[in-house]
Amino acid sequence: MKPILFRGANVWDGSGAPTFPGDVLVEGSRIKTIARSPGGLTADGATIIEAHGRTLMPGLVEGHAHISFGGAVNDSDLGNIPPEEHVLLTMRNAKTLLDHGFTSAYSAATSKLRLDVVIRNEINGGRLPGPRMRAASPEITVTGGLGDERKAHMYYESFGMIADGKEEITKAIRLCCREGVDNIKVNISGDDLSPAAHGGLTVMSEEEVQTAVRVARDFGKKVNCHARAAAAVKRAVRCGVDVIYHCESADEEAIDMLESAKDRIFVGPAIGIIYGTLYEGEAFGFHRDSELGRTMQRVIDTTAAVYTELRKRGVRILIGGDYGFAQTPQGDNARDLKHFVDLLGFSPNEALQCGTRIGGQVMGLGDELGQIKEGYLADLLLVDGDPLEDLDLVVHEKNLHVIMKEGSLYKDISAAKIVEHTVAAD
Ligand SMILES: [Zn+2]
């Protein structure tokens, strides 16, 4: 593969530093050289991409991916999709994410056991387009928890994998590990969109969460959890969960605990689904002027307060807003960046770091993803405009002129105009 030289770009490198004019040379799968004087870099036989002042930034990382979710209004809709259609839907979603600049996806949960796994394997094998993925288990949940849609008189599939007590939890997690997942998901609290257990309830016992983490560790897997209630957040931290989602009802003690664990944990508010349900859910039966609407408004307010504190205390925060429901279509995932600014008080630079540098860390590849740094994996976007001025730019495919994943050009709108130069190395 020839080296690729981005020449004359405005480089936003993901570190939080201001954008600078420069050239970036990619060799093989990695960033080889960065020059802080545009036009100053040459490379023998390189393909040149004239960036003309467009912004070169790291590829986005979806920190709460559900690539097997598509258009569901109710959680139970996911259980209704037959496996064959579900594989195809997941395959299409993987492409949609990459088309929208997401070169990595950390899966929060899948909706059938092997969906994430099979699509991850196909992407890794080069047979399907999609982001680099960490595949997740289904949402392991207790009877009555989020993801248990059964009725007493009727078996019913949803997206959950129901397991109660140490033995069943152990077996469920071993099964997921055997089938090849990278991340285990457990639902510790309920949810306001769940019939039996609302978000204020903590329904998975301490012993069950401890068991889940211990078994996942035996297999070398990470653990994600759904935790809205303060008690659920504390339980997650005590038991050693790696990625703690939601957390909007965290009290002072829970926030202190998250801070004390900040070197090993990540958190993610998943604000997109709350925003979508409140402001864009009318067509799907979610009315603003309803009990649910008032609950969603409360969740936005408490999320803003909690995440302002977590941000100040340096807890690592991921973007990813439960995209894949009717009110949060796949492909809109980067809207979370603007939600972080508009709803949660982040600066555009801070929000973008959540979607690049911090996301890169959760992918578990060590310090080699999510920034434009020499030696890092070359996941790059060339954006028409300045995302720091307008975060909406990165939401729309048309503004992503180049998408590079691990040194390979997935998209280059100027490909027809690329001139191959051989220039003398100096
Ligand atoms: Zn989720």
Side-chain angles (χ1 to χ4, degrees):
M1 200 158 59
K2 286 183 180 181
I4 296 173
L5 177 59
F6 290 89
R7 196 156 60 186
N10 289 325
V11 181
W12 183 78
D13 66 8
S15 69
T19 302
F20 61 89
D23 300 340
V24 174
L25 177 66
V26 174
E27 231 179 69
S29 60
R30 291 183 187 268
I31 296 163
K32 166 95 169 152
T33 315
I34 301 167
R36 284 176 176 261
S37 52
L41 199 59
T42 57
D44 251 346
T47 300
I48 312 284
I49 295 179
E50 298 288 0
H52 295 303
R54 288 171 287 177
T55 304
L56 190 68
M57 60 172 280
L60 293 166
V61 183
E62 167 56 88
H64 187 127
H66 288 302
I67 67 156
S68 62
F69 290 22
V73 175
N74 302 302
D75 295 345
S76 55
D77 294 347
L78 294 163
N80 281 330
I81 308 173
E84 297 81 358
E85 279 85 345
H86 219 152
V87 174
L88 296 173
L89 179 150
T90 308
M91 181 182 86
R92 289 193 298 271
N93 286 341
K95 180 176 184 299
T96 297
L97 257 81
L98 186 56
D99 286 343
H100 287 81
F102 286 86
T103 48
S104 296
Y106 182 93
S107 184
T110 184
S111 49
K112 287 184 177 66
L113 175 54
R114 299 196 70 252
L115 285 174
D116 273 11
V117 167
V118 73
I119 297 302
R120 177 205 61 197
N121 292 349
E122 289 298 294
I123 293 169
N124 288 348
R127 296 179 291 275
L128 283 182
R132 169 187 303 99
M133 266 185 73
R134 283 187 67 101
S137 74
E139 315 217 1
I140 295 170
T141 195
V142 298
T143 294
L146 170 64
D148 178 8
E149 305 277 337
R150 299 168 302 176
K151 312 264 180 262
H153 67 288
M154 173 169 72
Y155 184 79
Y156 200 93
E157 285 285 348
S158 178
F159 58 72
M161 180 183 253
I162 298 145
D164 294 290
K166 281 165 69 173
E167 266 182 50
E168 286 183 18
I169 295 263
T170 298
K171 191 162 185 184
I173 291 175
R174 286 177 179 160
L175 174 64
C176 294
C177 293
R178 185 190 74 193
E179 296 301 320
V181 306
D182 303 305
N183 311 328
I184 294 292
K185 171 77 176 283
V186 291
N187 289 347
I188 303 178
S189 81
D191 191 87
D192 297 310
L193 294 169
S194 169
H198 62 75
L201 298 173
T202 301
V203 293
M204 184 175 276
S205 73
E206 182 113 4
E207 186 181 50
E208 287 167 327
V209 181
Q210 264 171 4
T211 302
V213 174
R214 196 177 59 240
V215 177
R217 289 281 181 272
D218 288 344
F219 284 86
K221 308 301 181 187
K222 288 198 184 195
V223 181
N224 315 325
C225 78
H226 176 94
R228 294 195 178 277
V233 174
K234 294 174 200 175
R235 191 164 288 177
V237 177
R238 275 197 303 273
C239 293
V241 171
D242 301 290
V243 182
I244 306 173
Y245 290 124
H246 310 299
C247 305
E248 77 272 5
S249 298
D251 56 17
E252 195 55 36
E253 186 188 14
I255 290 172
D256 287 344
M257 288 173 73
L258 291 168
E259 183 186 9
S260 68
K262 69 181 179 184
D263 293 335
R264 66 168 182 81
I265 62 157
F266 295 84
V267 295
I271 198 69
I273 184 80
I274 307 297
Y275 179 92
T277 305
L278 182 61
Y279 294 107
E280 295 168 3
E282 206 65 38
F284 312 107
F286 302 114
H287 304 296
R288 258 179 99 174
D289 187 21
S290 68
E291 194 52 43
L292 181 68
R294 285 182 281 281
T295 301
M296 293 297 108
Q297 185 60 61
R298 178 183 54 74
V299 173
I300 287 181
D301 296 342
T302 53
T303 303
V306 166
Y307 279 81
T308 297
E309 201 54 41
L310 294 175
R311 174 169 50 81
K312 285 184 190 155
R313 298 191 192 193
V315 178
R316 295 178 292 182
I317 301 169
L318 302 168
I319 64 162
D322 268 322
Y323 291 89
F325 287 92
Q327 67 273 38
T328 51
Q330 298 281 3
D332 278 5
N333 311 55
R335 288 185 70 190
D336 251 44
L337 296 166
K338 198 155 185 304
H339 293 330
F340 271 38
V341 173
D342 294 345
L343 305 174
L344 309 182
F346 287 61
S347 72
N349 201 319
E350 287 167 336
L352 274 171
Q353 287 176 67
C354 296
T356 55
R357 179 175 63 82
I358 297 171
Q361 293 171 6
V362 83
M363 292 300 291
L365 291 169
D367 252 354
E368 55 176 347
L369 189 66
Q371 295 185 65
I372 301 182
K373 265 186 159 180
E374 289 176 359
Y376 270 48
L377 289 168
D379 283 16
L380 299 169
L381 306 178
L382 187 63
V383 182
D384 188 19
D386 181 0
L388 291 172
E389 291 291 317
D390 180 4
L391 283 169
D392 266 347
L393 286 175
V394 292
V395 176
H396 305 292
E397 278 184 82
K398 67 176 170 55
N399 300 318
L400 307 177
H401 286 187
V402 175
I403 300 173
M404 172 181 276
K405 181 185 151 196
E406 219 160 301
S408 292
L409 283 170
Y410 170 66
K411 173 185 178 184
D412 177 9
I413 64 150
S414 66
K417 285 180 272 169
I418 285 181
V419 186
E420 291 181 8
H421 295 268
T422 304
V423 288
D426 48 13

